[in-house]
Amino acid sequence: MSTAAQLVLASRSPRRAELLAQLGVRFVVRPADIAEDLDPSLDLGAAVEQLACRKARAADAPASGLPVLGADTLVTCGGEVLGKPVDPRQAAEFLRLLSGRQHEVLTGVAVASGDQVLSCLQCTRVHFRALREEEIERYVASGEPMGKAGAYGIQGLAGVFVEHIEGSYTGVMGLPVAQTATLLGHFGICIP
């Protein structure tokens, strides 16, 4: 079996790379260098999916001829968009907002090759139990919330905050694998 790359991953996310590797996809990482602004004229889901498409189109892969996968994830709670926290204070604010509530995690995924771009949106509802202030402080002090939409990683320490989810666990991690596998299949990358 050839070990040549099948795909370009237009993301710096170690979680997305881990999930693709678990699927057996061979890829190279070439992050898209674009502004991650959402189009305010679109609803949030459409804006996240559009951003994933822009990332897939912008990655530096023209010479390789490989399909490019772009993705973006955001968290929304009570009408407020929670991106990646800029500092520990904001991370704690996000976690207080999520405490004892349901929120949505929207992940857009796009695969581009030549003139063709296919995309999808995965929406997962996540229910957090009520968090004590000392839990929030300890979690923020761990450093794990930084660099993560909504200030938490479901696959890490924050897994204990989650009462249940409705949707894709891997979508909350940043790459819904079932939908991603379907998209990749349209480009000849088959996952067993």
Side-chain angles (χ1 to χ4, degrees):
M1 182 171 162
S2 169
T3 58
Q6 301 168 286
L7 180 73
V8 172
L9 174 60
S11 173
R12 289 182 179 83
S13 167
R15 288 157 303 284
R16 289 187 183 117
E18 287 171 22
L19 290 167
L20 276 178
Q22 287 173 10
L23 293 175
V25 176
R26 298 180 311 276
F27 60 93
V28 293
V29 175
R30 293 195 186 124
D33 187 22
I34 63 168
E36 295 194 19
D37 302 324
L38 297 174
D39 184 336
S41 70
L42 300 173
D43 69 57
L44 283 178
V48 170
E49 191 170 350
Q50 180 197 61
L51 183 53
C53 291
R54 286 182 23 227
K55 287 180 178 182
R57 284 278 192 213
D60 182 25
S64 72
L66 296 173
V68 180
L69 186 147
D72 196 67
T73 301
L74 70 77
V75 173
T76 181
C77 183
E80 194 170 332
V81 174
L82 309 179
K84 297 173 185 173
V86 296
D87 57 29
R89 179 197 56 73
Q90 188 176 52
E93 287 176 13
F94 286 0
L95 292 164
R96 286 184 199 104
L97 179 65
L98 298 174
S99 177
R101 297 179 71 185
Q102 171 185 293
H103 61 276
E104 292 186 337
V105 179
L106 304 173
T107 299
V109 181
V111 180
S113 183
D115 292 335
Q116 186 177 19
V117 180
L118 297 178
S119 64
C120 68
L121 176 70
Q122 172 64 50
C123 177
T124 301
R125 288 179 185 83
V126 180
H127 301 260
F128 264 30
R129 65 173 171 77
L131 307 179
R132 296 183 314 276
E133 188 60 29
E134 58 270 18
E135 290 178 299
I136 292 171
E137 290 172 7
R138 278 195 310 271
Y139 183 59
V140 170
S142 77
E144 187 175 282
M146 304 314 295
K148 293 179 178 69
Y152 77 93
I154 195 170
Q155 73 283 0
L157 298 171
V160 300
F161 301 157
V162 178
E163 288 185 330
H164 67 278
I165 69 168
E166 300 166 40
S168 169
Y169 178 84
T170 56
V172 178
M173 290 176 64
L175 192 68
V177 295
Q179 294 82 355
T180 300
T182 299
L183 289 177
L184 292 175
H186 289 287
F187 293 92
I189 301 172
C190 297
I191 296 165

